């Protein structure tokens, strides 16, 4: 059933590992700072991204690796720092998917990769940018959380 090339298998594994890392990172931020947007919203989106990739693993008869990242991701001293790291992570995510899109011509894999790339760039990155900008120059958590609450909903 698995008629994928080694390049395609590596691409799927790299995509899943990246989504696992993002999920574990955002989950850690929630553990450290509470259910704060955009992390609470984007963490759920990352879970859906993992599920979409797992469907491909199942379709091609590949074993799904466990998430190696819980407890091994960076932790942040402040929500501001976490938001800024989210911006960097989503930019890196885009670069990964731009490269992985070259690894296959299979439409089902391309569709998932494109959808995940689009979610990262069209929804997650802007949410983290708003988060990082919304807390700049504001004192305390209050303004930051109000800003995020206003803009944090409805993300992928």
């Amino acid at each position: 059933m698995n008629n994928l090339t080694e390049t395609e298998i590596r691409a799927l594994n790299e995509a899943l590992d990246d989504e696992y890392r993002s999920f574990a990172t955002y989950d850690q931020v929630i553990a450290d700072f509470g259910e704060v947007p955009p992390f609470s919203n984007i963490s759920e989106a990352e879970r859906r991204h993992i599920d979409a990739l797992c469907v491909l693993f199942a379709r091609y008869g590949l074993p799904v690796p466990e998430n190696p990242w819980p407890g091994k991701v960076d932790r942040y001293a402040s929500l501001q720092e976490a938001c800024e790291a989210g911006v960097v992570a989503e930019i890196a995510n885009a670069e990964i998917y731009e490269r992985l899109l070259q690894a296959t011509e299979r439409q089902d894999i391309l569709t998932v990769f494109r959808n995940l790339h689009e979610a990262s760039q069209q929804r997650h990155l802007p949410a983290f940018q708003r988060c990082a900008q919304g807390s700049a120059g504001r004192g305390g958590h209050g303004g930051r959380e109000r800003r995020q609450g206003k803009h944090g909903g409805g993300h992928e």
Side-chain angles (χ1 to χ4, degrees):
M1 183 170 172
N2 174 358
N3 57 350
L4 296 175
T5 66
E6 285 300 314
T7 300
E8 290 168 328
I9 292 169
R10 279 193 305 273
L12 285 168
N13 277 291
E14 184 176 350
L16 184 59
D17 186 66
D18 186 64
E19 298 298 336
Y20 274 161
R21 183 177 58 241
S22 295
F23 178 77
T25 299
Y26 303 154
D27 200 46
Q28 184 64 59
V29 170
I30 292 166
D32 290 341
F33 298 103
E35 288 282 336
V36 292
F39 294 95
S40 54
N41 304 17
I42 295 174
S43 176
E44 285 304 311
E46 297 298 344
R47 186 184 316 273
R48 290 190 301 274
H49 297 180
I50 290 165
D51 290 345
L53 288 165
C54 286
V55 166
L56 292 173
F57 275 72
R59 180 174 299 152
Y60 290 102
L62 298 173
V64 177
E66 292 292 318
N67 186 345
W69 292 102
K72 298 178 183 173
V73 294
D74 291 337
R75 295 182 73 181
Y76 303 101
S78 69
L79 194 54
Q80 171 71 27
E81 189 179 308
C83 291
E84 291 167 359
V87 170
V88 172
E90 294 298 339
I91 290 169
N93 180 272
E95 293 168 358
I96 288 169
Y97 278 110
E98 286 164 12
R99 183 173 42 76
L100 294 181
L101 282 164
Q102 306 307 310
T104 187
E105 294 181 3
R106 295 176 192 273
Q107 288 305 307
D108 57 346
I109 296 173
L110 288 172
T111 297
V112 170
F113 284 1
R114 284 184 189 123
N115 289 344
L116 301 186
H117 179 264
E118 179 182 315
S120 175
Q121 295 308 288
Q122 301 298 317
R123 292 184 284 284
H124 303 180
L125 177 59
F128 283 128
Q129 288 170 328
R130 284 190 301 270
C131 174
Q133 293 165 357
S135 56
R138 292 176 185 253
H141 283 310
R144 182 166 49 241
E145 290 172 356
R146 278 193 300 275
R147 169 91 180 207
Q148 290 169 343
K150 180 177 174 186
H151 295 287
H155 296 290
E156 213 276 40

